[in-house]
Amino acid sequence: MTTPLGSIEFGPREDGRRVTLGRTTQETDITVTLALDGSGHTAVDTGIGFYDHLLGSFAHHGLFDLAIHADGDLQIDEHHNVEDVALVLGAAVAEALGDRAGIQRFGDSSVPMDDAIATAVLDVGGRPYAVIDLPFRGERAGGLPLQLVEHALESFTRTAGVTLHLTGHGRDDHHLAEAAFKALGRALRVACELDPRREGVASTKGGLG
C-alpha cells in the first residue's frame, strides 16, 4: 500500500469513500490518495508549484482529503505531469464514488476572487464531457502553462465520468485559474454528497451513464 505524502492523516469513514490509486508509465509515476468525506487536508507535490496550488485549492474548498505525488519528465515540459495527475485524480473520484447510488449527482458553484469569477456546473452521472471557457490573457502562471488548464480539466472529466461546464472571466490569470478550481471543488462536493432521501441512483432510467 502506498503511504500518502507527508503527514496528512486520512481518518476512517463509515461510508469508506477513500482510495489510493497509482499510474506508472515511461513518462510519469503518479500516486493519488483521495477521501471524498474529508476535511480539506492536502499534501500535493506535482513538481509544478502553481498546479499544486490549484489542486490544493480544489481539495480545500471541496473538503476532500487529498495527497498527490508525481515524478515525471519535467525536463521535457510540464504536459505529462499535468495530464497524468488529472487522469489519476479523476479515476480516484470515480472509484471512490463506486456505483454512485444515493448521491446528489448534480452540483454547481460560483466563486469570485477579486477581479475574477468562475462558475462550475457539473453532473457526476458517469458521462464524461467538458465545456471549458477560461479566457486567460498570458501564457503561464508560475511554472504552469495556462493552455494546460483546459487539458487538465478535460482529462479529469474523462476518467471521473463527469460532465463539466466551467466558465469564468477576469483580468488576473492567477485569480481566474484559482477561482475555477475552487468552484470545481465546491460543485463536486455538492454533487458527491449523500442524499438521505435518495434510494438508488439519481436517474429515471434506473442506471447512470
Side-chain angles (χ1 to χ4, degrees):
M1 177 176 290
T2 302
T3 300
L5 178 69
S7 60
I8 183 172
E9 295 182 1
F10 291 83
R13 295 286 301 195
E14 292 181 0
D15 46 52
R17 300 197 303 173
R18 172 182 179 269
V19 298
T20 296
L21 293 182
R23 170 188 168 100
T24 301
T25 70
Q26 293 184 353
E27 298 168 341
T28 62
D29 184 4
I30 313 292
T31 302
V32 171
T33 298
L34 170 71
L36 289 179
D37 305 292
S39 301
H41 299 303
T42 64
V44 179
D45 180 10
T46 67
I48 306 165
F50 188 62
Y51 196 32
D52 295 350
H53 179 58
L54 295 179
L55 293 167
S57 294
F58 157 80
H60 180 81
H61 291 278
L63 290 179
F64 311 126
D65 290 341
L66 178 65
I68 299 176
H69 184 74
D71 290 318
D73 52 5
L74 291 174
Q75 75 278 6
I76 296 175
D77 68 10
E78 299 84 3
H79 185 101
H80 297 143
N81 274 39
V82 171
E83 178 181 51
D84 288 2
V85 165
L87 289 171
V88 179
L89 178 58
V93 169
E95 184 164 324
L97 284 172
D99 63 6
R100 309 184 190 223
I103 61 172
Q104 300 276 5
R105 179 179 171 180
F106 302 100
D108 64 89
S109 179
S110 293
V111 171
M113 189 169 182
D114 296 343
D115 57 284
I117 187 168
T119 299
V121 182
L122 55 81
D123 170 13
V124 298
R127 296 161 66 101
Y129 200 88
V131 179
I132 313 297
D133 185 11
L134 299 172
F136 296 114
R137 298 187 176 200
E139 295 184 359
R140 302 177 75 89
L144 179 66
L146 290 169
Q147 65 176 350
L148 291 180
V149 170
E150 180 173 351
H151 184 57
L153 294 166
E154 290 172 344
S155 298
F156 170 79
T157 61
R158 188 162 77 245
T159 53
V162 169
T163 296
L164 171 65
H165 290 251
L166 181 53
T167 61
H169 60 84
R171 295 188 302 273
D172 186 296
D173 288 339
H174 181 129
H175 292 167
L176 177 57
E178 187 171 339
F181 274 73
K182 288 177 178 177
L184 174 61
R186 289 180 60 86
L188 187 64
R189 171 189 171 189
V190 172
C192 293
E193 284 181 344
L194 297 171
D195 185 342
R197 296 195 298 158
R198 175 67 60 192
E199 296 182 3
V201 297
S203 172
T204 55
K205 295 185 297 184
L208 296 174

